[in-house]
C-alpha cells in the first residue's frame, strides 16, 4: 500500500488565518502570582493592621514558603498560636511592624514568633466590597 | 543509591500546618466514623495513646491532657502529600510515590560524599515549603533505605546515610526480622523457628538455600539486605485491577432508602475515581454487612455482582445496576452497618469493546460525566444524582461520623486559613 503524506493542520479552502504561526500561550495569572506551586498557600486576611500597605480585611494573601524572608518583606508569622501578617524588619533588630499607626510593633521576646512564609501578592477585589465576594 | 523519604506522623503533622497553636501539642487523628486513633503526634504517643486504639478507651487521657482530636481530613492530607512529592521532585527528578506519605528517590547520579548534604537539604526543603517534617534514609537498596529511614526516625538524627556494609551492620543486628520491609508476620514466624532472630541473621542466609526453601522474593530480600539492589523504582504504577468504595455507617441502618442513597453515593465516588484514571468497568459488585451491635445477625448471600453489557464509566448506568444488586441483597428487619461497591474488569477506553448501536449514547454520557467531574473538583460545590438524596453528605443518616473535621484549608476558598 502506498503511504500518503499526513498533514497535521487541516487544509481549508479560503483565506488563511493571518495569525497562524504567531500563537502564544494566553496570559495566566497563576504564572504571575505563583513561583513555587508546591510551597504557595492562600490565606484570608482579617483585621486592618496592614491597611497602609494596601492589605485590607477580606483580601486573599498569596504566601510563598520557599522564599527567604528579607528585611522589608511582608510576612505571615505565627504569634501566640495565631497567624498574623506584618512587615518584617531585621535591622537593627528583628521585629514585626504593623502598617497602621493604631497597632504596636511585635518584638520577638513577646512569646516568640515563627515565620510561616513571605506574602507575595494581596488579591483585593474592587467590586462587592472585599475579595469575599468570590467566595 | 536510593533514598526513602517518609513524613513524620503525617496526618497529625498535616493538621498542624495551619494550627500554629498546636505546634508542640499532642494531636490525634481518628479513623472513618471517628472510631479509632489512626495517627498521633510524638506528644500524643508519649502520653501512651497508641495507633489503633478505640477512641472511647483513651477519652479520659485525651480530656486530661487536652489532646487535640481530628477526624480524617483526606482532602487536606491529599493536597499536602501532592506538595511534598512535588517538593522532592524539585531536588531529585526521579521519584516513586510509594504511599501518601512516603517516596523512594533515585540518587544513582549523586556522588557518595554529597549524599548526607542532599539528605539534609531534602529534609529542610520539605519542612520549609510544605510545613511537614520528614526523615530521610539513604542506602544502596530500597530495603536498606527503608530501614535507614526507620533508624533516622528512631535515633532522631533525621537523615541516615548507609553506603557500605559497615554502615548498616550494627543496625541490622538490632532489627527484629518483622521490622524489615517485605517481612510479613507469617514469614517472621517461620524465620523465628529457624533461629533467625535479627536482620543480620537474615542477611547471612544463603541465597540459593532461601530460594529453594522460601521463594525468589525472599531470596531477593536477602540480597537487598547485603546491599545488592534487586528492586528498582516503580515509576509507572501497575494498571489497576479494581476500585473499591466502602464505608461503615455512623449508625445502624434498617430501611432500604438510606442504603440506596449510600450505594448511589459510593458508586458515584468510585466511578469518579475510575474516570480520573481514564478507565471503564466491565463488572460491578455490591456487598452489605450487618452492624456488629445487638444480637448476632446472619446475612447470606452477602454480595452480588453483575457484568455490564458494555464497559462503562457512566455513573448513571453503574448506579442503576448497583441499586438493583442492593435490592436483591437487602432483607427487612436487619441492622446494617456497612455497604461497599466494587468496580472490576477495568479497561482503558481504547481497549473497550464497543457496541454497534450504543456508541452515540456512550459519547453523550462521557460529556455529562466530564462536566460533573469538573464541577465536583472545582471546590465550588458538588452535583450528584438525585438518588443520593438531597441533603449534603454530612447530614445523611448513613454518612460517616466526622465530628472533628478540620477545614479544607488548601482546596476550598471558603476554608482558607485566617490571618489577622
Amino acid at each position: 500500500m502506498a503511504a500518503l503524506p499526513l498533514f497535521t493542520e487541516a487544509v481549508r479552502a479560503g483565506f488563511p488565518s493571518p495569525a497562524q504561526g504567531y500563537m502564544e500561550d494566553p496570559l495566566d495569572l497563576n504564572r504571575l502570582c505563583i513561583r513555587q506551586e508546591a510551597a504557595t498557600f492562600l490565606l484570608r486576611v482579617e483585621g486592618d493592621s496592614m491597611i497602609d500597605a494596601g492589605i485590607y480585611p477580606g483580601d486573599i494573601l498569596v504566601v510563598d514558603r520557599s522564599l527567604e524572608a528579607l528585611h522589608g518583606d511582608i510576612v505571615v508569622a505565627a504569634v501566640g498560636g495565631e497567624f498574623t501578617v506584618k512587615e518584617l524588619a531585621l535591622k537593627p533588630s528583628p521585629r514585626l511592624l504593623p502598617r497602621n499607626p493604631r497597632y504596636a510593633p511585635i518584638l520577638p521576646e513577646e512569646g516568640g514568633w515563627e515565620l510561616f512564609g513571605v506574602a507575595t501578592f494581596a488579591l483585593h477585589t474592587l467590586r462587592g466590597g472585599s475579595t469575599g465576594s468570590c467566595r | 543509591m536510593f533514598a526513602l523519604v517518609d513524613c513524620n506522623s503525617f496526618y497529625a503533622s498535616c493538621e498542624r500546618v495551619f494550627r500554629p497553636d498546636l505546634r508542640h501539642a499532642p494531636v490525634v487523628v481518628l479513623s472513618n466514623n471517628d472510631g479509632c486513633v489512626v495517627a498521633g503526634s510524638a506528644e500524643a504517643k508519649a502520653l501512651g495513646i497508641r495507633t489503633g486504639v478505640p477512641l472511647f478507651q483513651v477519652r479520659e487521657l485525651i480530656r486530661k491532657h487536652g489532646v487535640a482530636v481530628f477526624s480524617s481530613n483526606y482532602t487536606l492530607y491529599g493536597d499536602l502529600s501532592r506538595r511534598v512529592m512535588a517538593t522532592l521532585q524539585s531536588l531529585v527528578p526521579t521519584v516513586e510515590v510509594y504511599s501518601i506519605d512516603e517516596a523512594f528517590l533515585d540518587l544513582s547520579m549523586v556522588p557518595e560524599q554529597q549524599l548526607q548534604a542532599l539528605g539534609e537539604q531534602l529534609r529542610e526543603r520539605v519542612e520549609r515549603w510544605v510545613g511537614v517534617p520528614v526523615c530521610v534514609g539513604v542506602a544502596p537498596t530500597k530495603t536498606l533505605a527503608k530501614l535507614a529511614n526507620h533508624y533516622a526516625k528512631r535515633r532522631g538524627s533525621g537523615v541516615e546515610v548507609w553506603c557500605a556494609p559497615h554502615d548498616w551492620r550494627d543496625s541490622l543486628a538490632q532489627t527484629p526480622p518483622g521490622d524489615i520491609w517485605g517481612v510479613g508476620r507469617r514469614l517472621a514466624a517461620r524465620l523465628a523457628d529457624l533461629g533467625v532472630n535479627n536482620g543480620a541473621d537474615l542477611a547471612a542466609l544463603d541465597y540459593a538455600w532461601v530460594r529453594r526453601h522460601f521463594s525468589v522474593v525472599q531470596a531477593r530480600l536477602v540480597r537487598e539486605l547485603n546491599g545488592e539492589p534487586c528492586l528498582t523504582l516503580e515509576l509507572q504504577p501497575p494498571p489497576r485491577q479494581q476500585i473499591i468504595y466502602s464505608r461503615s455507617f455512623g449508625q445502624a441502618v434498617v430501611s432500604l432508602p438510606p442504603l440506596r442513597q449510600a450505594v448511589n453515593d459510593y458508586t458515584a465516588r468510585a466511578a469518579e475515581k475510575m474516570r480520573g484514571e481514564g478507565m471503564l468497568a466491565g463488572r460491578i459488585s455490591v456487598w452489605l454487612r450487618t452492624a456488629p451491635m445487638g444480637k448476632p445477625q446472619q446475612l447470606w448471600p452477602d454480595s452480588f455482582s453483575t457484568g455490564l453489557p458494555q464497559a462503562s464509566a457512566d455513573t448513571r448506568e453503574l448506579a442503576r445496576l448497583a441499586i438493583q444488586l442492593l435490592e436483591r441483597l437487602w432483607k427487612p428487619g436487619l441492622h446494617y452497618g456497612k455497604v461497599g461497591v466494587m468496580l472490576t474488569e477495568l479497561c482503558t477506553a481504547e481497549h473497550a469493546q464497543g457496541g454497534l448501536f450504543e456508541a452515540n449514547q456512550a459519547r453523550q454520557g462521557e460529556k455529562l460525566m466530564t462536566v460533573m467531574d469538573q464541577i465536583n473538583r472545582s471546590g465550588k460545590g458538588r452535583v450528584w444524582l438525585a438518588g443520593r438524596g438531597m441533603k449534603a453528605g454530612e447530614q445523611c443518616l448513613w454518612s460517616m461520623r466526622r465530628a472533628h473535621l478540620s477545614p479544607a484549608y488548601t482546596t476550598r476558598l471558603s476554608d482558607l486559613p485566617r490571618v489577622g
Side-chain angles (χ1 to χ4, degrees):
Chain A
M1 199 164 75
L4 294 171
L6 175 74
F7 292 95
T8 51
E9 284 181 37
V11 182
R12 291 204 175 85
F15 191 70
S17 164
Q20 231 164 39
Y22 293 90
M23 292 298 279
E24 290 184 5
D25 285 341
L27 292 174
D28 181 355
L29 279 177
N30 285 317
R31 275 169 61 185
L32 177 72
C33 297
I34 298 177
R35 209 182 51 97
Q36 280 298 352
E37 197 272 338
T40 301
F41 294 91
L42 303 181
L43 283 81
R44 176 85 60 184
V45 176
E46 283 178 340
D48 57 359
S49 69
M50 293 299 282
I51 219 145
D52 291 347
I55 299 172
Y56 300 90
D59 284 2
I60 290 177
L61 276 189
V62 180
V63 176
D64 188 339
R65 287 175 57 95
S66 74
L67 295 174
E68 190 197 344
L70 305 173
H71 178 78
D73 275 343
I74 307 287
V75 298
V76 170
V79 181
E82 283 185 24
F83 289 133
T84 182
V85 53
K86 295 285 176 287
E87 183 185 322
L88 176 71
L90 294 173
K91 295 172 271 188
S93 61
R95 61 188 61 209
L96 296 172
L97 305 174
R99 293 284 294 276
N100 180 339
R102 295 199 296 113
Y103 294 81
I106 298 170
L107 304 173
E109 45 274 23
E110 292 169 16
W113 37 269
E114 198 178 321
L115 231 45
F116 178 81
V118 176
T120 49
F121 291 87
L123 305 180
H124 175 73
T125 184
L126 301 176
R127 297 189 78 187
S130 75
T131 324
S133 64
C134 66
R135 255 172 238 197
Chain B
M1 296 297 273
F2 295 93
L4 180 76
V5 182
D6 186 14
C7 301
N8 303 352
S9 318
F10 182 60
Y11 293 176
S13 297
C14 288
E15 295 294 350
R16 275 174 167 168
V17 171
F18 301 104
R19 288 291 302 272
D21 55 315
L22 300 179
R23 192 54 44 94
H24 303 289
V27 171
V28 295
V29 177
L30 305 177
S31 61
N32 290 330
N33 281 313
D34 294 349
C36 303
V37 172
V38 289
S41 68
E43 295 83 356
K45 285 176 188 150
L47 292 173
I49 302 177
R50 292 227 177 81
T51 300
V53 68
L55 176 61
F56 72 86
Q57 281 183 19
V58 286
R59 247 204 189 112
E60 187 51 30
L61 213 54
I62 283 171
R63 196 196 54 77
K64 195 169 139 205
H65 296 279
V67 178
V69 176
F70 292 97
S71 303
S72 294
N73 183 347
Y74 291 113
T75 308
L76 177 66
Y77 311 154
D79 184 66
L80 294 182
S81 169
R82 183 188 62 78
R83 288 166 181 268
V84 168
M85 302 305 167
T87 304
L88 295 174
Q89 235 154 6
S90 72
L91 284 167
V92 178
T94 324
V95 174
E96 173 193 336
V97 178
Y98 180 68
S99 69
I100 193 167
D101 60 348
E102 284 172 287
F104 283 108
L105 278 52
D106 176 10
L107 304 187
S108 53
M109 308 303 274
V110 182
E112 214 164 88
Q113 64 275 16
Q114 286 173 23
L115 290 170
Q116 181 73 33
L118 177 62
E120 270 151 31
Q121 202 186 353
L122 285 164
R123 193 168 130 81
E124 279 158 21
R125 182 171 285 192
V126 175
E127 168 127 37
R128 181 160 151 183
W129 285 23
V130 191
V132 170
V134 301
C135 284
V136 182
V138 179
T141 69
K142 285 173 97 174
T143 308
L144 285 170
K146 186 106 176 151
L147 195 62
N149 188 292
H150 174 76
Y151 281 105
K153 275 215 168 92
R154 236 174 69 173
R155 292 177 183 146
S157 55
V159 180
E160 199 85 7
V161 177
W162 294 348
C163 292
H166 63 86
D167 293 330
W168 65 76
R169 190 175 294 141
D170 292 348
S171 303
L172 210 51
Q174 290 170 27
T175 310
D179 282 5
I180 292 169
W181 189 47
V183 179
R185 199 171 298 164
R186 275 173 56 198
L187 180 60
R190 271 182 81 189
L191 290 170
D193 290 343
L194 290 167
V196 174
N197 295 317
N198 59 53
D201 294 346
L202 183 57
L205 295 178
D206 179 58
Y207 306 146
W209 184 87
V210 174
R211 204 180 150 159
R212 211 161 341 108
H213 289 86
F214 290 85
S215 77
V216 67
V217 178
Q218 276 86 41
R220 215 182 281 154
L221 173 71
V222 173
R223 284 178 181 234
E224 285 250 319
L225 288 178
N226 284 289
E228 225 184 292
C230 301
L231 304 171
T232 53
L233 286 198
E234 285 170 25
L235 300 174
Q236 199 105 55
R240 194 189 268 284
Q241 304 292 312
Q242 60 191 34
I243 291 178
I244 296 180
Y245 200 96
S246 152
R247 292 283 181 275
S248 297
F249 303 135
Q251 58 191 92
V253 173
V254 181
S255 67
L256 192 51
L259 289 173
R260 273 202 211 104
Q261 293 181 0
V263 164
N264 221 300
D265 186 46
Y266 298 178
T267 308
R269 286 170 193 256
E272 182 177 346
K273 184 163 189 191
M274 180 171 71
R275 288 192 295 271
E277 300 181 10
M279 311 278 262
L280 308 170
R283 176 165 285 273
I284 183 165
S285 321
V286 171
W287 66 91
L288 195 54
R289 298 265 186 280
T290 50
M293 56 275 246
K295 59 180 179 192
Q297 304 168 33
Q298 288 298 320
L299 183 61
W300 187 262
D302 60 357
S303 75
F304 278 127
S305 96
T306 181
L308 277 83
Q310 188 190 347
S312 169
D314 191 322
T315 298
R316 298 168 300 173
E317 168 80 352
L318 294 166
R320 189 177 60 78
L321 293 171
I323 301 277
Q324 283 176 7
L325 296 171
L326 170 76
E327 288 174 351
R328 282 168 61 199
L329 282 171
W330 178 79
K331 293 188 186 99
L334 295 181
H335 291 74
Y336 293 101
K338 188 174 191 174
V339 69
V341 174
M342 179 164 73
L343 304 174
T344 48
E345 295 177 14
L346 303 184
C347 59
T348 55
E350 305 91 73
H351 292 109
Q353 189 79 250
L356 196 53
F357 303 108
E358 292 94 335
N360 223 352
Q361 199 188 330
R363 188 56 51 85
Q364 272 198 336
E366 207 178 292
K367 274 188 192 154
L368 177 68
M369 291 301 125
T370 307
V371 171
M372 228 168 98
D373 291 347
Q374 277 168 354
I375 296 172
N376 286 342
R377 277 158 185 271
S378 68
K380 280 184 184 161
R382 296 186 68 84
V383 289
W384 56 82
L385 301 186
R388 199 197 85 167
M390 295 310 288
K391 285 180 184 169
E394 311 302 326
Q395 299 152 359
C396 293
L397 178 64
W398 46 268
S399 71
M400 276 201 284
R401 213 174 357 228
R402 296 210 286 184
H404 310 280
L405 189 64
S406 54
Y409 293 112
T410 59
T411 50
R412 210 171 294 157
L413 263 187
S414 58
D415 284 10
L416 295 183
R418 309 270 154 166
V419 52

